[in-house]
Amino acid sequence: MCGIAGFTHARVAEARIQRATLALTHRGPDQQGVYESDSISLGAVRLRIIDLEGGDQPMESDDSDVVVAFNGEIYNHHDLRKQLQERGHSFHTQCDTETVLHAFLEWDTDCFERLRGMFAVAIWTESESRLILARDRVGIKPLYIYRRGQDIYFGSELKALFVHPEVERKIDPLGLHYFTSLNYVPAPYTLVEGVEKLLPGHFLEWRSGRVKTSPFWKLTFQPQQHYTLDSAAEELDGLLADSVREHLVSDVPLGVWASGGLDSSTILHYAAEHSESRLKTFSVSFHGRSFDEAAYARRVARNYGTEHYEFDLNPAVDLQSAIESLAYYSDEPGADAGALPVWFLSKMTRKHATVALSGEGADELFGGYQTYLGDRYARTLRRVPALARRAALGLARRLPVSDEKIGFDYKVQRMLQGSFLEPGEAHLFWNGTFSEAEKKKLHLRNGHPPVGKLIERLPGRGASVGYLNRYLWLDQYYYLPDDILYKCDRMSMAHSLEVRPPFLDHRIVEFAARLPERLKIHRSSLKVVLRHLMRNKLPQSVLQRGKQGFDIPAHDWLRGVLRPLLLDTLTREAVESSNLFDWNVVAGLIRNHMNRRANLGYHLWGLLTLFLWMKRWGIQADPNEEESSTLLSTVSA
């Protein structure tokens, strides 16, 4: 696991690549290296996982014409290596980076279709003045890009771009529009004007200032009705066994993030079957809270005889210091409050392991979120006259404000509010914060299309795909890479920890897209096929319990232990000088939350993380900027 950075140039900018590489050292504390020529500078940092003695980066071909900087893991690199050796290639190390290098030498950009794993890679060919950048199929590993004139700058994190004075630190209004609705910014956009994320499953080719991007993988939902529950479970069993076995390969200590829920327990089950040694498991608890999962995590750990570690996240922990650290390591702010427990989970895990397996992706593949049920309920609710729904919403706003993470009052109000939105917009609203109407009051400038229009960017979104599959596809396209995987990458790499999600092997992703909807959600049962597969493997307490979600009691903590940080950050001076939001609206949100008129903790958490990030990195708004520009999204092959 590593981080990469680089930029093209007409002449070498002295020490620039060293500073960009240094900014990523937390991602690869074991080795740092740079490559410089008249046309390009490349940097890489390495966290040694496979072949601890070999594999330093950037890595050059035998003739020094091709150079690669690689971030990630290729789980089928041994198979690829055998194929390449049969074609005459010679290897000097046992690491997967060298396999990627030789795969490119043999198959050029067609090599990406053969790679099974998570990666972001930069490949430079000196004789052709040609740069290739690529990102894995589902976006597990990040890659940011900035263009200025004919030159291109890139890095695993924004901070590797911020070393360049050419990168102006201005808020992108379109990115902010998405952020305040969704809690994240969907690719290719970011919150920094001119900076974009390379789309998952794509590669970019740069030649002398000319750029084109092309997909090397496209996910297509094609439900096949011949599947039965048993046949689907049997196929998934084989896929999971293969994926987890490959994800266990490591030359350093490895563990499993095990919350006691279905997804992580499934990964633990298969890991225990294929591991030759006793596994370590890690979880976060919230002692005394209704959503605490510690008892389930301990039970699963006992079942598999793991060496279990647990961190209790409570108000006595130094929360403020951790949240302020997020402003640096989050790189691009995410308003998902789940980043905080992932921070502490990663910190604890790194004391005992360098690699952790996780259950990310199962909810988006197999239908594990309550929001999918919300989409269905809303279809019925919209048949109720609008006048009656407005009256119901008025009554719901009089419900006692709960200190639970997501209380009954919050759920009822969000459901009723969403019933007035278009279905696509409502789906995003369930997990988001500000509605379009609320943003019109909040923003000083807006005028962007509703976020629900994102669903129109999906390929093949016809009726044959199915109502549920449209939303699963939407979440796999945006929410999974730009919220869930982004959060996991930043929090884990801040502590030099590699996290691997076996559910996101692309063979499993493609299998899920072939399943009929009835095998994902049936009535109120979520992840039907996964539960069926694990019915005789996991305790009933795991199979029958509902999903809790992995975040903090934001409503409660922002009224209590985090109140000073909130009030010190969202001051009138800070809000007005930002030139982004109406202070009176922000002050009203704070007042209504503190006075328990409404639960607005997630709204305020997003604003808090945004302003801490802007302050940490000196990000400014341009008062004359009405629209953001996009670069890579307008360039196609």
Side-chain angles (χ1 to χ4, degrees), residues 601-617:
Y602 294 120
H603 299 68
L604 294 172
W605 175 268
L607 295 177
L608 171 65
T609 57
L610 175 67
F611 275 81
L612 286 173
W613 172 76
M614 290 175 64
K615 180 180 179 180
R616 173 62 184 80
W617 294 104

Side-chain angles (χ1 to χ4, degrees), residues 71-315:
N71 169 27
E73 298 288 349
I74 304 302
Y75 302 118
N76 64 331
H77 80 97
H78 286 300
D79 292 337
L80 290 173
R81 180 176 292 234
K82 290 178 183 178
Q83 296 176 38
L84 290 163
Q85 287 173 329
E86 291 172 356
R87 291 170 177 260
H89 291 259
S90 299
F91 290 81
H92 307 288
T93 75
Q94 297 301 314
C95 73
D96 53 355
T97 301
E98 189 175 14
T99 304
V100 173
L101 172 59
H102 284 274
F104 179 78
L105 292 172
E106 180 67 31
W107 298 301
D108 203 79
T109 55
D110 288 343
C111 72
F112 302 129
E113 299 175 21
R114 300 170 183 260
L115 304 182
R116 191 162 68 241
M118 55 182 185
F119 58 88
V121 61
I123 305 172
W124 171 255
T125 304
E126 182 69 33
S127 61
E128 300 175 357
S129 294
R130 180 191 186 210
L131 174 67
I132 300 293
L133 303 174
R135 191 177 178 202
D136 67 67
R137 293 170 177 83
V138 294
I140 303 172
K141 292 292 106 183
L143 192 57
Y144 290 89
I145 296 175
Y146 177 83
R147 289 188 64 198
R148 183 174 184 270
Q150 291 193 326
D151 287 322
I152 189 166
Y153 306 71
F154 63 90
S156 294
E157 298 183 6
L158 275 173
K159 56 182 67 68
L161 299 183
F162 285 161
V163 304
H164 302 284
E166 296 90 346
V167 179
E168 296 186 77
R169 303 187 187 189
K170 294 180 181 178
I171 284 281
D172 186 304
L174 182 56
L176 184 65
H177 164 69
Y178 285 124
F179 178 84
T180 48
S181 287
L182 306 175
N183 295 329
Y184 62 90
V185 182
Y189 313 108
T190 72
L191 269 172
V192 180
E193 189 172 282
V195 177
E196 293 199 350
K197 289 171 278 198
L198 184 62
L199 289 169
H202 282 66
F203 71 88
L204 175 150
E205 181 177 23
W206 179 97
R207 285 180 184 262
S208 303
R210 296 186 302 275
V211 171
K212 67 175 183 178
T213 60
S214 302
F216 64 87
W217 181 77
K218 289 183 179 180
L219 178 62
T220 302
F221 275 73
Q222 294 180 327
Q224 299 177 13
Q225 299 303 320
H226 69 80
Y227 275 111
T228 66
L229 196 52
D230 287 336
S231 66
E234 182 180 2
E235 186 171 343
L236 180 57
D237 178 50
L239 289 169
L240 276 170
D242 285 347
S243 179
V244 173
R245 184 173 55 249
E246 292 178 346
H247 281 69
L248 284 170
V249 175
S250 172
D251 293 334
V252 294
L254 177 147
V256 179
W257 281 358
S259 68
L262 174 61
D263 305 341
S264 64
S265 298
T266 296
I267 298 303
L268 176 58
H269 171 82
Y270 285 95
E273 282 193 337
H274 297 287
S275 177
E276 297 178 355
S277 59
R278 186 187 182 194
L279 288 168
K280 297 180 174 68
T281 51
F282 308 91
S283 66
V284 168
S285 61
F286 294 87
H287 290 170
R289 304 302 297 244
S290 63
F291 50 86
D292 182 28
E293 299 180 288
Y296 299 99
R298 292 183 206 129
R299 179 172 180 180
V300 172
R302 285 196 302 270
N303 279 5
Y304 291 98
T306 72
E307 183 181 330
H308 188 61
Y309 299 88
E310 181 181 302
F311 180 86
D312 184 52
L313 184 50
N314 61 74

Side-chain angles (χ1 to χ4, degrees), residues 461-479:
R461 58 186 184 279
S464 61
V465 170
Y467 191 81
L468 170 63
N469 277 334
R470 292 180 71 221
Y471 297 117
L472 290 170
W473 202 344
L474 182 70
D475 287 344
Q476 289 175 43
Y477 205 82
Y478 298 113
Y479 179 64

